[in-house]
C-alpha cells in the first residue's frame, strides 16, 4: 500500500506539503486531510476559503465545509457558518455524530461553540476592501456579481488504505445570505469510499449539485474506469447535458484518486491542482479542456511566480 493525496487549486500546495509529513510517517488520512485544509483556511491571502474568504452580498463571511471518511462513510458538514476559525474541523467532528451531521448557520455556530472550537472574525481588511470595490464596480458597470470562487477540496489515501475527503469554501463572492453551494453536500462537492476512491469538485455549485458529480466520478471508477477516464467523462458528459437542457453551463472541475493511489482530473475550464505521493513531492499541475480530452502539464516557474504576484498585489 502507498499513500497519495490530491487537491484543487494551487492554494493547497502548502497544506498538501504539511499533509505529506503526516502520511510519510504512517499517519492517518483523516488527520492529513484536515491539516491540509486547515492550512488553506488559515492563510489570509486565499480569498475563497476560511480567513480572508470573500463575503456575501451584505459583507458577512459565511463558510461551508465538509469531511467524509471512506472506511465508515461517515460524513459531516457545516453550511453558512460565521466566525469560526476552522470549519473543516467542525465538519470532521460532526462526522462522528450519529444524528444531526449537517448543521447550518446559527445551529452550526452553537454546536461549534459548545464543542470548544476556536472563534475568529474571518473578515480581513483586504477582503472588505475587495468587497467595497466590487460593490462600486457592480453599480457603475451593471455587472453580474457572481464571480471569484475557488473551493479547496482534497482526497487522501494513507498507508493503511484509509481514504478521506474534505472541502472548505467561502462559496460564491457576493452570494445571497444563506446561499450554500455544492461543497458541503455529500456526493456533490465530495465523496469517498476506501474500497473504490474519492473525488472532490470546485466550480459553480449551482451546476455541480445538479449532477451529484463527485459521487458520479466514484461510481464511474467503481464501474472500471481509470480515475482519469472517470473525472473527464463525468465533467464532459454533464457539461454537455446542461448545455443541451439549459443552454449554458458554469465552471466545473474535479480531481479524484482511487484506492491504489492513481489520480485523475476533469475540467471544463483552465484549472490548477496539486498532487503528492510516496513517489513524488507535491507538484502543481495545470489542466485545460481540449476537445474531448483534458490535457495537463506541470505548472512552469513563470506561472507559479505570476500566481504569487497576483495573490499579493494591492487591492
Ligand atoms: C460553491 N463550488 O460554493 C463552490 C465554489 C467553488 O470554484 O468551488 N468555486 O459553489
Amino acid at each position: 500500500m502507498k499513500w497519495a493525496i490530491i487537491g484543487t487549486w494551487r492554494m493547497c500546495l502548502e497544506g498538501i506539503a504539511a499533509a505529506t509529513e503526516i502520511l510519510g510517517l504512517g499517519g492517518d488520512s483523516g488527520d492529513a486531510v484536515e491539516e491540509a485544509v486547515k492550512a488553506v483556511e488559515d492563510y489570509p491571502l486565499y480569498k475563497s476559503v476560511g480567513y480572508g474568504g470573500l463575503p456575501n452580498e451584505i459583507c458577512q463571511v459565511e463558510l461551508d465545509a465538509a469531511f467524509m471518511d471512506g472506511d465508515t462513510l461517515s460524513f459531516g458538514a457545516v453550511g453558512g457558518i460565521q466566525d469560526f476559525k476552522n470549519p473543516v474541523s467542525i465538519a470532521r467532528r460532526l462526522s462522528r455524530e450519529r444524528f444531526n451531521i449537517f448543521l447550518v448557520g446559527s445551529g452550526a455556530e452553537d454546536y461549534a461553540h459548545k464543542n470548544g472550537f476556536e472563534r475568529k472574525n474571518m473578515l480581513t481588511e483586504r477582503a472588505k476592501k475587495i468587497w467595497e470595490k466590487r460593490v462600486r464596480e457592480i453599480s457603475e458597470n451593471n455587472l453580474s456579481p457572481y464571480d471569484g470562487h475557488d473551493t479547496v477540496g482534497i482526497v487522501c489515501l494513507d498507508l493503511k488504505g484509509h481514504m478521506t475527503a474534505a472541502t472548505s469554501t467561502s462559496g460564491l463572492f457576493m452570494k445571497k445570505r444563506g446561499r450554500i453551494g455544492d461543497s458541503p453536500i455529500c456526493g456533490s462537492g465530495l465523496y469517498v469510499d476506501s474500497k473504490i476512491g474519492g473525488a472532490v469538485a470546485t466550480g459553480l455549485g449551482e451546476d455541480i449539485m445538479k449532477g451529484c458529480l463527485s459521487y458520479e466520478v466514484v461510481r464511474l471508477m467503481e464501474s472500471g474506469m481509470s480515475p482519469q477516464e472517470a473525472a473527464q467523462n463525468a465533467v464532459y458528459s454533464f457539461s454537455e447535458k446542461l448545455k443541451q437542457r439549459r443552454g449554458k453551463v458554469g465552471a466545473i472541475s474535479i480531481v479524484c484518486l482511487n484506492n491504489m493511489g492513481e489520480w485523475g482530473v476533469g475540467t471544463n475550464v483552465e484549472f490548477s491542482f496539486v498532487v503528492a505521493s510516496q513517489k513524488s513531492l507535491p507538484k502543481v499541475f495545470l489542466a485545460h479542456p481540449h476537445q474531448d480530452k483534458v490535457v495537463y502539464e506541470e505548472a512552469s516557474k513563470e506561472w507559479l511566480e505570476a500566481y504569487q504576484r497576483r495573490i499579493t498585489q494591492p487591492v
Side-chain angles (χ1 to χ4, degrees):
M1 190 61 70
K2 46 188 180 187
W3 63 261
I5 183 164
I6 187 165
T8 55
W9 304 110
R10 151 65 186 85
M11 67 181 159
C12 67
L13 178 62
E14 294 80 9
I16 284 202
T20 63
E21 309 262 316
I22 299 175
L23 294 165
L25 293 171
D28 177 63
S29 86
D31 296 338
V33 96
E34 182 182 349
E35 271 320 295
V37 173
K38 274 169 69 178
V40 187
E41 289 179 338
D42 290 341
Y43 190 67
L45 295 180
Y46 297 143
K47 52 187 189 175
S48 50
V49 177
Y51 184 56
L54 292 177
N56 65 13
E57 64 174 4
I58 56 168
C59 206
Q60 296 167 329
V61 181
E62 290 186 317
L63 301 171
D64 303 337
F67 175 92
M68 185 163 185
D69 183 308
D71 280 4
T72 57
L73 305 184
S74 296
F75 178 84
V78 291
I81 192 169
Q82 290 185 48
D83 299 330
F84 277 90
K85 182 172 179 277
N86 291 117
V88 71
S89 302
I90 306 167
R92 187 179 185 196
R93 178 66 205 267
L94 280 164
S95 74
R96 300 193 180 114
E97 304 281 356
R98 174 72 184 96
F99 301 107
N100 305 302
I101 60 174
F102 187 174
L103 298 177
V104 300
S106 57
E109 288 151 19
D110 283 352
Y111 177 89
H113 177 66
K114 283 190 191 125
N115 286 281
F117 286 96
E118 191 177 338
R119 279 189 185 274
K120 182 169 178 172
N121 173 7
M122 301 299 270
L123 181 65
T124 58
E125 273 310 307
R126 184 179 173 88
K128 190 159 169 241
K129 265 199 203 159
I130 296 174
W131 181 87
E132 286 164 352
K133 187 168 166 225
R134 190 69 182 159
V135 168
R136 279 196 307 274
E137 284 167 1
I138 292 166
S139 72
E140 283 161 16
N141 306 323
N142 204 15
L143 294 174
S144 158
Y146 306 118
D147 69 358
H149 50 78
D150 292 344
T151 295
V152 63
I154 297 183
V155 191
C156 181
L157 165 72
D158 70 20
L159 282 174
K160 298 195 182 85
H162 179 205
M163 295 193 78
T164 51
T167 55
S168 185
T169 188
S170 53
L172 286 192
F173 182 24
M174 290 286 175
K175 64 189 179 183
K176 294 264 180 243
R177 182 168 166 258
R179 178 263 184 198
I180 289 176
D182 61 302
S183 308
I185 297 180
C186 189
S188 286
L190 72 168
Y191 196 80
V192 63
D193 179 336
S194 303
K195 291 196 187 304
I196 309 163
V200 287
T202 175
L204 185 65
E206 281 73 0
D207 282 354
I208 294 167
M209 67 172 86
K210 292 180 174 86
C212 305
L213 285 179
S214 292
Y215 184 79
E216 175 66 0
V217 170
V218 174
R219 191 188 69 79
L220 292 174
M221 289 195 284
E222 187 177 26
S223 76
M225 282 191 192
S226 70
Q228 185 53 36
E229 287 166 343
Q232 197 168 281
N233 263 283
V235 173
Y236 280 169
S237 58
F238 193 66
S239 299
E240 240 353 272
K241 187 188 250 187
L242 285 191
K243 268 189 231 154
Q244 278 168 17
R245 305 258 193 110
R246 305 172 58 81
K248 55 179 179 273
V249 58
I252 300 179
S253 307
I254 298 220
V255 293
C256 63
L257 184 69
N258 69 13
N259 65 353
M260 292 178 294
E262 298 160 342
W263 55 268
V265 54
T267 187
N268 63 9
V269 289
E270 184 177 312
F271 163 64
S272 63
F273 61 100
V274 179
V275 187
S277 71
Q278 212 154 333
K279 287 187 295 190
S280 142
L281 290 170
K283 265 190 206 147
V284 180
F285 290 89
L286 284 183
H288 322 257
H290 182 70
Q291 289 156 7
D292 56 353
K293 268 192 30 211
V294 171
V295 291
Y296 57 83
E297 77 271 331
E298 203 179 325
S300 64
K301 194 162 159 276
E302 292 71 34
W303 188 92
L304 291 168
E305 286 168 358
Y307 175 88
Q308 205 55 34
R309 281 196 299 278
R310 197 165 63 243
I311 67 162
T312 50
Q313 78 194 0
V315 177

